[in-house]
Amino acid sequence: MQLQSMYQEVILDHYKNPHGHGLRAGDAEVHHVNPTCGDEITLRVRYDGERIADVSYEGQGCSISQASASVLNELLVGRELPEALEIQRTFLELMQSRGQLTPDDAMEELLEDAVAFAGVSKYPARVKCALLSWMAWKDATAQALGDATVGNATARGGQS
């Protein structure tokens, strides 16, 4: 139970002290809404080639959706697209595990603070909250770089 408490603290810390909050200039902007709970986010991405130069967002919603957007910013800014897509895929796998996936050391190292959302995966309605910003980022990336670029990186399995 001590680990769960630590995870809750990580989520609350990102909610109270968000990284990347406030819209800045970007190459693409998307707006996503979770109709089941009303969470919403407007997210912008800016690229320098295939390196993520910035992810900024504004939104409203529960602590899970807002903290997840903060974690996304912290994890992805400065990364090359293939590495960012690998992080996104791993986070998606964790969120779709319905609590059956226990993060190992490699997953914890890759996901950093995002591993704190492992407990959220037990609650399907909350998974949508945690994934809202990640799906927005993927859509904004496709818009900024072109679907073919994102699709090719996905087909490569995140490998260069």
Side-chain angles (χ1 to χ4, degrees), residues 71-122:
V71 168
L72 177 144
N73 169 277
E74 186 177 74
L75 271 175
L76 300 188
V77 171
R79 307 262 186 173
E80 295 288 327
L81 179 61
E83 185 180 12
L85 286 168
E86 178 63 25
I87 292 167
Q88 188 265 345
R89 275 192 298 277
T90 303
F91 186 71
L92 181 62
E93 177 186 353
L94 179 64
M95 290 296 92
Q96 293 177 334
S97 74
R98 297 188 182 263
Q100 301 303 308
L101 181 62
T102 302
D104 60 14
D105 290 343
M107 183 178 278
E108 288 181 9
E109 186 175 324
L110 182 66
L111 292 180
E112 299 176 15
D113 280 355
V115 79
F117 293 88
V120 172
S121 70
K122 297 175 188 175

Side-chain angles (χ1 to χ4, degrees), residues 52-66:
I52 302 168
D54 192 29
V55 176
S56 62
Y57 66 94
E58 284 186 352
Q60 59 185 23
C62 68
S63 60
I64 292 171
S65 71
Q66 297 301 294

